[in-house]
Amino acid sequence: MSLFLSSYENRLDTKGRISVPAPFRASVASEKFAGVVLYRSFTHNCIEGLSMSRMEQLAAATDKMGVFDSELDDLSAMLFADARPLAFDVTGRIVIPTELLKHAGITDRAIFVGRGNSFQIWNPDAFRAAQEKSLNNLRATRPNLTIV
Amino acid sequence: MSLFLSSYENRLDTKGRISVPAPFRASVASEKFAGVVLYRSFTHNCIEGLSMSRMEQLAAATDKMGVFDSELDDLSAMLFADARPLAFDVTGRIVIPTELLKHAGITDRAIFVGRGNSFQIWNPDAFRAAQEKSLNNLRATRPNLTIV
DNA sequence: AATCATTTTATGGGATTTTATGGTTTAATT
DNA sequence: AATTAAACCATAAAATCCCATAAAATGATT
């Protein structure tokens, strides 16, 4: 699976369909499941997105961490229960379930945001506000950028 | 991946295409992705450039910190959301997105500047001015570079 | 060192394909 | 029958491919 990079703003049509950006579709093109997995972000008012193979990776990781870890139990309970697998239609569109749209405050437009091994879907205005904040945080705290 | 060294000034055509200098293309020639990844510099009015493998290194680093760790959140949010994967065309050109050009003040000419494991793209005049300034700083502070 | 031949590189423009998006029709579910 | 969901068709804009050429770099041969 290749990385999810960059950001793409698309619009929802009257039926709630929205095109997953072609580069994101390309990122999962080699997988068995032609689609993505979405769930509500625990930390932001946005939707988190993954490939199915990444979801399987997470399942394997939680397995390894032990069955009796209660924190992890909560996490995986949320994650797997909430996760919605959504297949692309022929033109590469999905219909995002209403609960997810509501959680992200999305109505007629949405922005797909690359996050490396995952991505997010935001209300465009909310995203830009959040980015502004992140940039200010970065400039204030100047974390270690040497890796870049 | 071999180092990005030296500087090369090229011109943008009417479609916004610009040749990536052949030596820079050679630096990423062995990689799966035949192209580069660009994003807006956090600190300067220029564009930063990386190879895709370097980008994947960054993704792996954020993975190691835990998928739900928030420490690197701001940095990776900025970086991956802004990063544009740009494939070379047959003759080795890319089209630099308008936001990036705007951020760097580039119109019809641009200079590719080697930075070792990465590179930058500048408005040629802005770059020369910045270099002049850097040189003066160096002369004043005479920093020491420790090897290893 | 100088000439010439060959290859590579940077740049230009037209043709083709992909993509996002809208609408219509058919099938399924209640 | 009514509503919902899925499949199908259409299109304008944008991105990409393809071909052509001049300049520059390289290498070979004097």
PDB file of all heavy atoms in Angstrom, chain D residues 6-19:
ATOM      1  P    DA D   6     -26.236  -0.017  -2.064  1.00  0.00           P
ATOM      2  OP1  DA D   6     -25.730  -1.167  -1.289  1.00  0.00           O
ATOM      3  OP2  DA D   6     -25.681   1.322  -1.887  1.00  0.00           O
ATOM      4  O5'  DA D   6     -26.130  -0.411  -3.606  1.00  0.00           O
ATOM      5  C5'  DA D   6     -26.773  -1.596  -4.072  1.00  0.00           C
ATOM      6  C4'  DA D   6     -26.959  -1.502  -5.569  1.00  0.00           C
ATOM      7  O4'  DA D   6     -27.794  -0.365  -5.881  1.00  0.00           O
ATOM      8  C3'  DA D   6     -25.669  -1.329  -6.377  1.00  0.00           C
ATOM      9  O3'  DA D   6     -25.533  -2.435  -7.234  1.00  0.00           O
ATOM     10  C2'  DA D   6     -25.863  -0.007  -7.129  1.00  0.00           C
ATOM     11  C1'  DA D   6     -27.373   0.156  -7.123  1.00  0.00           C
ATOM     12  N9   DA D   6     -27.845   1.534  -7.201  1.00  0.00           N
ATOM     13  C8   DA D   6     -27.675   2.540  -6.288  1.00  0.00           C
ATOM     14  N7   DA D   6     -28.235   3.678  -6.623  1.00  0.00           N
ATOM     15  C5   DA D   6     -28.818   3.399  -7.849  1.00  0.00           C
ATOM     16  C6   DA D   6     -29.567   4.198  -8.746  1.00  0.00           C
ATOM     17  N6   DA D   6     -29.861   5.478  -8.508  1.00  0.00           N
ATOM     18  N1   DA D   6     -30.000   3.616  -9.884  1.00  0.00           N
ATOM     19  C2   DA D   6     -29.704   2.319 -10.106  1.00  0.00           C
ATOM     20  N3   DA D   6     -29.013   1.478  -9.345  1.00  0.00           N
ATOM     21  C4   DA D   6     -28.596   2.089  -8.221  1.00  0.00           C
ATOM     22  P    DA D   7     -24.148  -2.671  -8.020  1.00  0.00           P
ATOM     23  OP1  DA D   7     -23.918  -4.137  -8.067  1.00  0.00           O
ATOM     24  OP2  DA D   7     -23.144  -1.762  -7.466  1.00  0.00           O
ATOM     25  O5'  DA D   7     -24.512  -2.184  -9.495  1.00  0.00           O
ATOM     26  C5'  DA D   7     -25.482  -2.917 -10.254  1.00  0.00           C
ATOM     27  C4'  DA D   7     -25.904  -2.099 -11.450  1.00  0.00           C
ATOM     28  O4'  DA D   7     -26.387  -0.816 -11.007  1.00  0.00           O
ATOM     29  C3'  DA D   7     -24.786  -1.815 -12.464  1.00  0.00           C
ATOM     30  O3'  DA D   7     -25.166  -2.351 -13.713  1.00  0.00           O
ATOM     31  C2'  DA D   7     -24.679  -0.281 -12.486  1.00  0.00           C
ATOM     32  C1'  DA D   7     -26.054   0.138 -11.979  1.00  0.00           C
ATOM     33  N9   DA D   7     -26.094   1.449 -11.346  1.00  0.00           N
ATOM     34  C8   DA D   7     -25.455   1.851 -10.203  1.00  0.00           C
ATOM     35  N7   DA D   7     -25.687   3.096  -9.859  1.00  0.00           N
ATOM     36  C5   DA D   7     -26.532   3.556 -10.852  1.00  0.00           C
ATOM     37  C6   DA D   7     -27.157   4.802 -11.080  1.00  0.00           C
ATOM     38  N6   DA D   7     -26.990   5.854 -10.261  1.00  0.00           N
ATOM     39  N1   DA D   7     -27.947   4.920 -12.172  1.00  0.00           N
ATOM     40  C2   DA D   7     -28.107   3.857 -12.974  1.00  0.00           C
ATOM     41  N3   DA D   7     -27.578   2.635 -12.858  1.00  0.00           N
ATOM     42  C4   DA D   7     -26.798   2.551 -11.775  1.00  0.00           C
ATOM     43  P    DC D   8     -24.157  -2.345 -14.950  1.00  0.00           P
ATOM     44  OP1  DC D   8     -24.476  -3.513 -15.780  1.00  0.00           O
ATOM     45  OP2  DC D   8     -22.795  -2.141 -14.417  1.00  0.00           O
ATOM     46  O5'  DC D   8     -24.588  -1.018 -15.740  1.00  0.00           O
ATOM     47  C5'  DC D   8     -25.965  -0.818 -16.063  1.00  0.00           C
ATOM     48  C4'  DC D   8     -26.143   0.576 -16.628  1.00  0.00           C
ATOM     49  O4'  DC D   8     -26.093   1.556 -15.580  1.00  0.00           O
ATOM     50  C3'  DC D   8     -25.083   0.989 -17.660  1.00  0.00           C
ATOM     51  O3'  DC D   8     -25.709   1.189 -18.914  1.00  0.00           O
ATOM     52  C2'  DC D   8     -24.501   2.289 -17.092  1.00  0.00           C
ATOM     53  C1'  DC D   8     -25.602   2.752 -16.142  1.00  0.00           C
ATOM     54  N1   DC D   8     -25.140   3.635 -15.042  1.00  0.00           N
ATOM     55  C2   DC D   8     -25.657   4.922 -14.928  1.00  0.00           C
ATOM     56  O2   DC D   8     -26.486   5.312 -15.751  1.00  0.00           O
ATOM     57  N3   DC D   8     -25.232   5.722 -13.919  1.00  0.00           N
ATOM     58  C4   DC D   8     -24.340   5.273 -13.041  1.00  0.00           C
ATOM     59  N4   DC D   8     -23.965   6.096 -12.067  1.00  0.00           N
ATOM     60  C5   DC D   8     -23.796   3.964 -13.130  1.00  0.00           C
ATOM     61  C6   DC D   8     -24.219   3.185 -14.135  1.00  0.00           C
ATOM     62  P    DC D   9     -24.812   1.479 -20.198  1.00  0.00           P
ATOM     63  OP1  DC D   9     -25.494   0.852 -21.338  1.00  0.00           O
ATOM     64  OP2  DC D   9     -23.394   1.160 -19.892  1.00  0.00           O
ATOM     65  O5'  DC D   9     -24.932   3.070 -20.349  1.00  0.00           O
ATOM     66  C5'  DC D   9     -26.219   3.676 -20.398  1.00  0.00           C
ATOM     67  C4'  DC D   9     -26.085   5.193 -20.395  1.00  0.00           C
ATOM     68  O4'  DC D   9     -25.697   5.636 -19.078  1.00  0.00           O
ATOM     69  C3'  DC D   9     -25.039   5.746 -21.368  1.00  0.00           C
ATOM     70  O3'  DC D   9     -25.659   6.717 -22.190  1.00  0.00           O
ATOM     71  C2'  DC D   9     -23.966   6.347 -20.454  1.00  0.00           C
ATOM     72  C1'  DC D   9     -24.800   6.712 -19.231  1.00  0.00           C
ATOM     73  N1   DC D   9     -24.019   6.841 -17.974  1.00  0.00           N
ATOM     74  C2   DC D   9     -24.087   8.044 -17.252  1.00  0.00           C
ATOM     75  O2   DC D   9     -24.785   8.975 -17.682  1.00  0.00           O
ATOM     76  N3   DC D   9     -23.383   8.156 -16.096  1.00  0.00           N
ATOM     77  C4   DC D   9     -22.642   7.135 -15.669  1.00  0.00           C
ATOM     78  N4   DC D   9     -21.963   7.298 -14.531  1.00  0.00           N
ATOM     79  C5   DC D   9     -22.555   5.910 -16.375  1.00  0.00           C
ATOM     80  C6   DC D   9     -23.253   5.802 -17.523  1.00  0.00           C
ATOM     81  P    DA D  10     -24.852   7.444 -23.354  1.00  0.00           P
ATOM     82  OP1  DA D  10     -25.794   7.671 -24.462  1.00  0.00           O
ATOM     83  OP2  DA D  10     -23.584   6.703 -23.576  1.00  0.00           O
ATOM     84  O5'  DA D  10     -24.505   8.854 -22.693  1.00  0.00           O
ATOM     85  C5'  DA D  10     -25.560   9.633 -22.143  1.00  0.00           C
ATOM     86  C4'  DA D  10     -25.005  10.956 -21.649  1.00  0.00           C
ATOM     87  O4'  DA D  10     -24.373  10.751 -20.362  1.00  0.00           O
ATOM     88  C3'  DA D  10     -23.958  11.592 -22.561  1.00  0.00           C
ATOM     89  O3'  DA D  10     -24.285  12.959 -22.741  1.00  0.00           O
ATOM     90  C2'  DA D  10     -22.653  11.406 -21.805  1.00  0.00           C
ATOM     91  C1'  DA D  10     -23.123  11.414 -20.353  1.00  0.00           C
ATOM     92  N9   DA D  10     -22.260  10.686 -19.420  1.00  0.00           N
ATOM     93  C8   DA D  10     -21.807   9.407 -19.530  1.00  0.00           C
ATOM     94  N7   DA D  10     -21.059   9.012 -18.521  1.00  0.00           N
ATOM     95  C5   DA D  10     -21.014  10.122 -17.693  1.00  0.00           C
ATOM     96  C6   DA D  10     -20.385  10.357 -16.459  1.00  0.00           C
ATOM     97  N6   DA D  10     -19.654   9.451 -15.819  1.00  0.00           N
ATOM     98  N1   DA D  10     -20.542  11.569 -15.903  1.00  0.00           N
ATOM     99  C2   DA D  10     -21.288  12.496 -16.543  1.00  0.00           C
ATOM    100  N3   DA D  10     -21.934  12.379 -17.709  1.00  0.00           N
ATOM    101  C4   DA D  10     -21.748  11.167 -18.232  1.00  0.00           C
ATOM    102  P    DT D  11     -23.483  13.851 -23.809  1.00  0.00           P
ATOM    103  OP1  DT D  11     -24.467  14.767 -24.403  1.00  0.00           O
ATOM    104  OP2  DT D  11     -22.668  12.949 -24.643  1.00  0.00           O
ATOM    105  O5'  DT D  11     -22.494  14.694 -22.890  1.00  0.00           O
ATOM    106  C5'  DT D  11     -23.023  15.496 -21.837  1.00  0.00           C
ATOM    107  C4'  DT D  11     -21.897  16.218 -21.124  1.00  0.00           C
ATOM    108  O4'  DT D  11     -21.267  15.329 -20.166  1.00  0.00           O
ATOM    109  C3'  DT D  11     -20.780  16.711 -22.049  1.00  0.00           C
ATOM    110  O3'  DT D  11     -20.388  18.007 -21.619  1.00  0.00           O
ATOM    111  C2'  DT D  11     -19.661  15.705 -21.810  1.00  0.00           C
ATOM    112  C1'  DT D  11     -19.867  15.433 -20.318  1.00  0.00           C
ATOM    113  N1   DT D  11     -19.249  14.182 -19.814  1.00  0.00           N
ATOM    114  C2   DT D  11     -18.726  14.170 -18.542  1.00  0.00           C
ATOM    115  O2   DT D  11     -18.747  15.139 -17.823  1.00  0.00           O
ATOM    116  N3   DT D  11     -18.163  12.977 -18.159  1.00  0.00           N
ATOM    117  C4   DT D  11     -18.084  11.818 -18.909  1.00  0.00           C
ATOM    118  O4   DT D  11     -17.562  10.812 -18.457  1.00  0.00           O
ATOM    119  C5   DT D  11     -18.662  11.892 -20.238  1.00  0.00           C
ATOM    120  C7   DT D  11     -18.610  10.697 -21.118  1.00  0.00           C
ATOM    121  C6   DT D  11     -19.200  13.050 -20.615  1.00  0.00           C
ATOM    122  P    DA D  12     -20.128  19.154 -22.693  1.00  0.00           P
ATOM    123  OP1  DA D  12     -21.410  19.732 -23.123  1.00  0.00           O
ATOM    124  OP2  DA D  12     -19.175  18.616 -23.690  1.00  0.00           O
ATOM    125  O5'  DA D  12     -19.368  20.244 -21.820  1.00  0.00           O
ATOM    126  C5'  DA D  12     -19.840  20.556 -20.506  1.00  0.00           C
ATOM    127  C4'  DA D  12     -18.676  20.721 -19.557  1.00  0.00           C
ATOM    128  O4'  DA D  12     -18.151  19.406 -19.191  1.00  0.00           O
ATOM    129  C3'  DA D  12     -17.500  21.510 -20.117  1.00  0.00           C
ATOM    130  O3'  DA D  12     -17.077  22.434 -19.124  1.00  0.00           O
ATOM    131  C2'  DA D  12     -16.443  20.459 -20.425  1.00  0.00           C
ATOM    132  C1'  DA D  12     -16.743  19.385 -19.393  1.00  0.00           C
ATOM    133  N9   DA D  12     -16.399  18.018 -19.801  1.00  0.00           N
ATOM    134  C8   DA D  12     -16.569  17.436 -21.030  1.00  0.00           C
ATOM    135  N7   DA D  12     -16.175  16.185 -21.076  1.00  0.00           N
ATOM    136  C5   DA D  12     -15.725  15.922 -19.803  1.00  0.00           C
ATOM    137  C6   DA D  12     -15.177  14.766 -19.206  1.00  0.00           C
ATOM    138  N6   DA D  12     -14.991  13.618 -19.851  1.00  0.00           N
ATOM    139  N1   DA D  12     -14.821  14.845 -17.897  1.00  0.00           N
ATOM    140  C2   DA D  12     -15.009  15.993 -17.250  1.00  0.00           C
ATOM    141  N3   DA D  12     -15.508  17.147 -17.701  1.00  0.00           N
ATOM    142  C4   DA D  12     -15.848  17.036 -18.998  1.00  0.00           C
ATOM    143  P    DA D  13     -15.952  23.535 -19.427  1.00  0.00           P
ATOM    144  OP1  DA D  13     -16.441  24.834 -18.933  1.00  0.00           O
ATOM    145  OP2  DA D  13     -15.488  23.375 -20.831  1.00  0.00           O
ATOM    146  O5'  DA D  13     -14.769  23.073 -18.470  1.00  0.00           O
ATOM    147  C5'  DA D  13     -15.065  22.779 -17.104  1.00  0.00           C
ATOM    148  C4'  DA D  13     -13.925  22.003 -16.503  1.00  0.00           C
ATOM    149  O4'  DA D  13     -13.867  20.680 -17.090  1.00  0.00           O
ATOM    150  C3'  DA D  13     -12.547  22.628 -16.713  1.00  0.00           C
ATOM    151  O3'  DA D  13     -11.903  22.695 -15.450  1.00  0.00           O
ATOM    152  C2'  DA D  13     -11.836  21.672 -17.690  1.00  0.00           C
ATOM    153  C1'  DA D  13     -12.528  20.347 -17.398  1.00  0.00           C
ATOM    154  N9   DA D  13     -12.574  19.415 -18.524  1.00  0.00           N
ATOM    155  C8   DA D  13     -12.962  19.661 -19.810  1.00  0.00           C
ATOM    156  N7   DA D  13     -12.895  18.612 -20.592  1.00  0.00           N
ATOM    157  C5   DA D  13     -12.436  17.606 -19.760  1.00  0.00           C
ATOM    158  C6   DA D  13     -12.155  16.238 -19.988  1.00  0.00           C
ATOM    159  N6   DA D  13     -12.307  15.631 -21.162  1.00  0.00           N
ATOM    160  N1   DA D  13     -11.711  15.505 -18.934  1.00  0.00           N
ATOM    161  C2   DA D  13     -11.557  16.116 -17.749  1.00  0.00           C
ATOM    162  N3   DA D  13     -11.786  17.388 -17.412  1.00  0.00           N
ATOM    163  C4   DA D  13     -12.231  18.083 -18.480  1.00  0.00           C
ATOM    164  P    DA D  14     -10.507  23.487 -15.261  1.00  0.00           P
ATOM    165  OP1  DA D  14     -10.607  24.288 -14.024  1.00  0.00           O
ATOM    166  OP2  DA D  14     -10.114  24.114 -16.537  1.00  0.00           O
ATOM    167  O5'  DA D  14      -9.509  22.272 -14.984  1.00  0.00           O
ATOM    168  C5'  DA D  14      -9.908  21.241 -14.081  1.00  0.00           C
ATOM    169  C4'  DA D  14      -9.037  20.028 -14.286  1.00  0.00           C
ATOM    170  O4'  DA D  14      -9.381  19.370 -15.528  1.00  0.00           O
ATOM    171  C3'  DA D  14      -7.539  20.315 -14.350  1.00  0.00           C
ATOM    172  O3'  DA D  14      -6.900  19.519 -13.376  1.00  0.00           O
ATOM    173  C2'  DA D  14      -7.134  19.943 -15.787  1.00  0.00           C
ATOM    174  C1'  DA D  14      -8.193  18.934 -16.160  1.00  0.00           C
ATOM    175  N9   DA D  14      -8.494  18.837 -17.587  1.00  0.00           N
ATOM    176  C8   DA D  14      -8.853  19.835 -18.446  1.00  0.00           C
ATOM    177  N7   DA D  14      -9.065  19.431 -19.673  1.00  0.00           N
ATOM    178  C5   DA D  14      -8.829  18.070 -19.613  1.00  0.00           C
ATOM    179  C6   DA D  14      -8.889  17.046 -20.594  1.00  0.00           C
ATOM    180  N6   DA D  14      -9.215  17.264 -21.871  1.00  0.00           N
ATOM    181  N1   DA D  14      -8.593  15.784 -20.196  1.00  0.00           N
ATOM    182  C2   DA D  14      -8.261  15.567 -18.915  1.00  0.00           C
ATOM    183  N3   DA D  14      -8.184  16.441 -17.911  1.00  0.00           N
ATOM    184  C4   DA D  14      -8.477  17.682 -18.333  1.00  0.00           C
ATOM    185  P    DA D  15      -5.381  19.770 -12.945  1.00  0.00           P
ATOM    186  OP1  DA D  15      -5.362  19.754 -11.476  1.00  0.00           O
ATOM    187  OP2  DA D  15      -4.831  20.918 -13.692  1.00  0.00           O
ATOM    188  O5'  DA D  15      -4.656  18.445 -13.456  1.00  0.00           O
ATOM    189  C5'  DA D  15      -5.226  17.187 -13.125  1.00  0.00           C
ATOM    190  C4'  DA D  15      -4.776  16.146 -14.118  1.00  0.00           C
ATOM    191  O4'  DA D  15      -5.283  16.448 -15.428  1.00  0.00           O
ATOM    192  C3'  DA D  15      -3.258  16.000 -14.271  1.00  0.00           C
ATOM    193  O3'  DA D  15      -2.902  14.682 -13.945  1.00  0.00           O
ATOM    194  C2'  DA D  15      -2.983  16.374 -15.737  1.00  0.00           C
ATOM    195  C1'  DA D  15      -4.329  16.079 -16.385  1.00  0.00           C
ATOM    196  N9   DA D  15      -4.623  16.856 -17.592  1.00  0.00           N
ATOM    197  C8   DA D  15      -4.747  18.213 -17.694  1.00  0.00           C
ATOM    198  N7   DA D  15      -5.036  18.621 -18.907  1.00  0.00           N
ATOM    199  C5   DA D  15      -5.109  17.459 -19.651  1.00  0.00           C
ATOM    200  C6   DA D  15      -5.376  17.203 -21.012  1.00  0.00           C
ATOM    201  N6   DA D  15      -5.644  18.172 -21.896  1.00  0.00           N
ATOM    202  N1   DA D  15      -5.370  15.919 -21.419  1.00  0.00           N
ATOM    203  C2   DA D  15      -5.110  14.945 -20.522  1.00  0.00           C
ATOM    204  N3   DA D  15      -4.841  15.057 -19.228  1.00  0.00           N
ATOM    205  C4   DA D  15      -4.857  16.351 -18.848  1.00  0.00           C
ATOM    206  P    DT D  16      -1.356  14.234 -13.866  1.00  0.00           P
ATOM    207  OP1  DT D  16      -1.262  13.188 -12.846  1.00  0.00           O
ATOM    208  OP2  DT D  16      -0.510  15.434 -13.806  1.00  0.00           O
ATOM    209  O5'  DT D  16      -1.141  13.553 -15.284  1.00  0.00           O
ATOM    210  C5'  DT D  16      -2.026  12.507 -15.668  1.00  0.00           C
ATOM    211  C4'  DT D  16      -1.774  12.135 -17.108  1.00  0.00           C
ATOM    212  O4'  DT D  16      -2.184  13.191 -17.981  1.00  0.00           O
ATOM    213  C3'  DT D  16      -0.294  11.844 -17.443  1.00  0.00           C
ATOM    214  O3'  DT D  16      -0.215  10.495 -17.854  1.00  0.00           O
ATOM    215  C2'  DT D  16       0.031  12.841 -18.551  1.00  0.00           C
ATOM    216  C1'  DT D  16      -1.348  13.178 -19.107  1.00  0.00           C
ATOM    217  N1   DT D  16      -1.486  14.523 -19.749  1.00  0.00           N
ATOM    218  C2   DT D  16      -1.872  14.591 -21.071  1.00  0.00           C
ATOM    219  O2   DT D  16      -2.102  13.595 -21.747  1.00  0.00           O
ATOM    220  N3   DT D  16      -1.986  15.858 -21.576  1.00  0.00           N
ATOM    221  C4   DT D  16      -1.761  17.045 -20.904  1.00  0.00           C
ATOM    222  O4   DT D  16      -1.894  18.126 -21.465  1.00  0.00           O
ATOM    223  C5   DT D  16      -1.361  16.908 -19.526  1.00  0.00           C
ATOM    224  C7   DT D  16      -1.089  18.135 -18.708  1.00  0.00           C
ATOM    225  C6   DT D  16      -1.239  15.669 -19.026  1.00  0.00           C
ATOM    226  P    DC D  17       1.196   9.793 -18.160  1.00  0.00           P
ATOM    227  OP1  DC D  17       1.127   8.410 -17.656  1.00  0.00           O
ATOM    228  OP2  DC D  17       2.281  10.685 -17.752  1.00  0.00           O
ATOM    229  O5'  DC D  17       1.173   9.735 -19.756  1.00  0.00           O
ATOM    230  C5'  DC D  17       0.050   9.124 -20.384  1.00  0.00           C
ATOM    231  C4'  DC D  17       0.064   9.450 -21.870  1.00  0.00           C
ATOM    232  O4'  DC D  17      -0.115  10.865 -22.058  1.00  0.00           O
ATOM    233  C3'  DC D  17       1.359   9.060 -22.586  1.00  0.00           C
ATOM    234  O3'  DC D  17       1.033   8.187 -23.652  1.00  0.00           O
ATOM    235  C2'  DC D  17       1.936  10.398 -23.063  1.00  0.00           C
ATOM    236  C1'  DC D  17       0.699  11.281 -23.140  1.00  0.00           C
ATOM    237  N1   DC D  17       0.953  12.742 -22.959  1.00  0.00           N
ATOM    238  C2   DC D  17       0.591  13.635 -23.977  1.00  0.00           C
ATOM    239  O2   DC D  17       0.082  13.201 -25.012  1.00  0.00           O
ATOM    240  N3   DC D  17       0.819  14.960 -23.804  1.00  0.00           N
ATOM    241  C4   DC D  17       1.368  15.402 -22.674  1.00  0.00           C
ATOM    242  N4   DC D  17       1.565  16.713 -22.540  1.00  0.00           N
ATOM    243  C5   DC D  17       1.739  14.509 -21.616  1.00  0.00           C
ATOM    244  C6   DC D  17       1.518  13.196 -21.802  1.00  0.00           C
ATOM    245  P    DC D  18       2.169   7.391 -24.425  1.00  0.00           P
ATOM    246  OP1  DC D  18       1.585   6.122 -24.874  1.00  0.00           O
ATOM    247  OP2  DC D  18       3.383   7.410 -23.599  1.00  0.00           O
ATOM    248  O5'  DC D  18       2.440   8.308 -25.709  1.00  0.00           O
ATOM    249  C5'  DC D  18       1.339   8.683 -26.542  1.00  0.00           C
ATOM    250  C4'  DC D  18       1.809   9.702 -27.565  1.00  0.00           C
ATOM    251  O4'  DC D  18       1.890  11.004 -26.947  1.00  0.00           O
ATOM    252  C3'  DC D  18       3.188   9.411 -28.154  1.00  0.00           C
ATOM    253  O3'  DC D  18       3.055   9.264 -29.556  1.00  0.00           O
ATOM    254  C2'  DC D  18       4.036  10.623 -27.775  1.00  0.00           C
ATOM    255  C1'  DC D  18       2.983  11.691 -27.520  1.00  0.00           C
ATOM    256  N1   DC D  18       3.392  12.741 -26.551  1.00  0.00           N
ATOM    257  C2   DC D  18       3.241  14.093 -26.895  1.00  0.00           C
ATOM    258  O2   DC D  18       2.766  14.379 -28.003  1.00  0.00           O
ATOM    259  N3   DC D  18       3.624  15.037 -26.010  1.00  0.00           N
ATOM    260  C4   DC D  18       4.126  14.686 -24.827  1.00  0.00           C
ATOM    261  N4   DC D  18       4.491  15.658 -23.986  1.00  0.00           N
ATOM    262  C5   DC D  18       4.289  13.320 -24.460  1.00  0.00           C
ATOM    263  C6   DC D  18       3.913  12.384 -25.342  1.00  0.00           C
ATOM    264  P    DC D  19       4.309   8.703 -30.413  1.00  0.00           P
ATOM    265  OP1  DC D  19       3.752   7.812 -31.447  1.00  0.00           O
ATOM    266  OP2  DC D  19       5.351   8.238 -29.486  1.00  0.00           O
ATOM    267  O5'  DC D  19       4.833  10.030 -31.123  1.00  0.00           O
ATOM    268  C5'  DC D  19       3.926  10.809 -31.905  1.00  0.00           C
ATOM    269  C4'  DC D  19       4.520  12.176 -32.167  1.00  0.00           C
ATOM    270  O4'  DC D  19       4.631  12.901 -30.928  1.00  0.00           O
ATOM    271  C3'  DC D  19       5.927  12.162 -32.785  1.00  0.00           C
ATOM    272  O3'  DC D  19       5.899  12.900 -33.985  1.00  0.00           O
ATOM    273  C2'  DC D  19       6.803  12.809 -31.708  1.00  0.00           C
ATOM    274  C1'  DC D  19       5.793  13.699 -30.991  1.00  0.00           C
ATOM    275  N1   DC D  19       6.192  14.091 -29.621  1.00  0.00           N
ATOM    276  C2   DC D  19       6.219  15.433 -29.254  1.00  0.00           C
ATOM    277  O2   DC D  19       5.909  16.293 -30.086  1.00  0.00           O
ATOM    278  N3   DC D  19       6.599  15.768 -27.998  1.00  0.00           N
ATOM    279  C4   DC D  19       6.929  14.819 -27.119  1.00  0.00           C
ATOM    280  N4   DC D  19       7.296  15.194 -25.897  1.00  0.00           N
ATOM    281  C5   DC D  19       6.908  13.428 -27.473  1.00  0.00           C
ATOM    282  C6   DC D  19       6.538  13.109 -28.724  1.00  0.00           C
TER     283       DC D  19
END
